[in-house]
Amino acid sequence: MHLKKKLKSWRKKSMNSNNFITLIIKMIGTQCNMRCEYCYEHALGDNDHKKTSTSSDVIEYLKNFLDYHNVFILFHGGEPFLANYNEVAIVANFIKNNFRHNYRVQFQTNGTLLNDNWIGLMESFGDRISLSISLDPIGKRDLRHSNSFDYRKKVIENLKKYVSRIDNVGIVSVIHKYNVLDYENFIIDMNKIGLKNFTANKYKGDLGVAISELEYVDFLKKIAIKYIKNKWYKTINLEPINSLFSKKNKLCIYMADDNKCSYFKTFYGVRDSSEYCDHVVNKNILKIGKQCKNCSVYSFCGGGCLAEIKDETFCDARKELYNFIQRIKHENN
């Protein structure tokens, strides 16, 4: 079975069970070799989140989830490949030898530190591994910055070198007002070097570069039309487009589930973990309000990310997105 079909089948089984979890493992806290302007990690301000955890610390944490039937383990940062290779390898061996049910492993990285050792470690997971690399279109202004090197050149070199060795490699991009017009060409260029999986997330900050929810929906509509017209769907997996057009999307920002944030746990250190995902900085998760639940598109919209402050266009934009998708589905039936 092709890996995409395996992952789709696994996600479907996961969502039909109460026994699934995403574990975000931050062995090096927020340490990173880059200083991207929009990185939400900058808001943490907690020295404990900058500490390095040992393999023993992580293993003791992971032991709490061995009986879960569906586990997604995400090595995150900062930059996870700043961690000691041998320590990560010990954790990797524990996962392979002790998780007895369905599990998947992913590394979320800026892609600058990829090397033969890290790739070899990931290959040892077989078809259970995925690699997610953060990279944006340059546009009129690049909000991603390295401290002392040409990060983009390095990432592209690494992608060309390693994309054929890991079957499931994806590019995660942050869309803002300086690059929103450049994403289409970015996909085409990345696809030429072998990338097939793309995710376009909206920048949610307040640096004066964010786009509104309505502008993001306009972006998604234009990309979706290109995706269908050019038949990109035959060779490219583009999120959130694919999930939005599926019968049951699995993206938390569109999931209509009161408990969706509790399906994520974050490990910051031996005495510091969170019952929610890493985006919930203050650890005080909001609840989905009655206004959302009573909305005609709630089952599609899900109220968005509960840790995000919604702008004034949010509700109308989500309704417009829902109507657009229904219209496209109707036209293509």
Side-chain angles (χ1 to χ4, degrees), residues 303-318:
C305 172
L306 301 188
E308 175 189 359
I309 297 176
K310 314 300 188 301
D311 65 43
E312 60 184 8
T313 72
F314 183 86
C315 293
D316 288 340
R318 286 292 177 103

